[in-house]
Amino acid sequence: MKRNAFILGGVVAIAILLAVLSLSRPTENGAVQSHISRSASMEVALGADPQIRDTIHRACYDCHSDRPRYPWYASVWPSSSLVQHDRQTGLARLNFSQWDRLSPEMSKIRLMDACAMMSGDKMPLWYYRPLHPEAHLSPQEVQHFCAWAQAQ
């Protein structure tokens, strides 16, 4: 009887701990969306065609822009920590929303890096794809993006 009470107490304590951790979602350190200038974005700065814009928004913007769409699991610990880490890492490497801060040379480098990552099937990340099938890039989309990037 005491053993069952001890086990039940442990399960309740773990459940309470997980509930508290789920409520304490990490804060987003990114830009406040109301202060984001659309003219600073890559697609405006470089005059991307609608297909490129669609591809970038669908497959890249959640991690590489100041306008993410958060899935339900972004509010639940521990996945919220992974989402925050991936966003911070993604924004540090490439931010499509702040393209106007790049020099023309760096803009070209970032575009060619994005092309290489897409062509090498490294982006979107493998563990992002199952929960976001809309982010899947077809070979034609990758080829179109790379041809567009090369022409910039």
Side-chain angles (χ1 to χ4, degrees):
M1 190 65 153
K2 285 185 180 185
R3 182 172 185 232
N4 287 344
F6 180 74
I7 291 172
L8 181 62
V11 168
V12 169
I14 290 171
I16 290 172
L17 176 65
L18 288 175
V20 168
L21 288 172
S22 290
L23 294 174
S24 61
R25 179 178 177 212
T27 58
E28 181 64 33
N29 293 326
V32 177
Q33 289 205 16
S34 62
H35 301 294
I36 298 171
S37 169
R38 288 199 184 272
S39 64
S41 69
M42 181 273 299
E43 62 268 18
V44 172
L46 299 179
D49 67 52
Q51 186 180 356
I52 295 291
R53 229 176 322 173
D54 269 0
T55 300
I56 296 300
H57 281 265
R58 180 176 42 84
C60 309
Y61 255 51
D62 287 346
C63 294
H64 295 285
S65 81
D66 294 335
R67 296 183 181 276
R69 293 167 299 155
Y70 288 109
W72 65 269
Y73 57 84
S75 299
V76 180
W77 186 85
S79 60
S80 60
S81 297
L82 177 64
V83 169
Q84 182 184 22
H85 176 267
D86 284 351
R87 282 222 2 101
Q88 289 172 344
T89 303
L91 288 173
R93 293 184 179 171
L94 177 64
N95 188 341
F96 288 114
S97 296
Q98 297 177 7
W99 205 261
D100 64 335
R101 296 181 182 182
L102 300 176
S103 68
E105 296 81 17
M106 187 53 73
S107 175
K108 181 72 170 176
I109 290 169
R110 294 281 192 242
L111 286 174
M112 296 317 297
D113 284 347
C115 170
M117 295 297 280
M118 290 178 196
S119 297
D121 204 29
K122 295 179 182 175
M123 281 290 148
L125 295 172
W126 67 269
Y127 55 85
Y128 183 82
R129 295 176 200 167
L131 294 172
H132 302 273
E134 73 280 359
H136 173 73
L137 295 170
S138 70
Q140 294 81 14
E141 288 173 317
V142 173
Q143 185 178 28
H144 183 69
F145 178 86
C146 290
W148 174 80
Q150 188 69 35
Q152 294 302 308

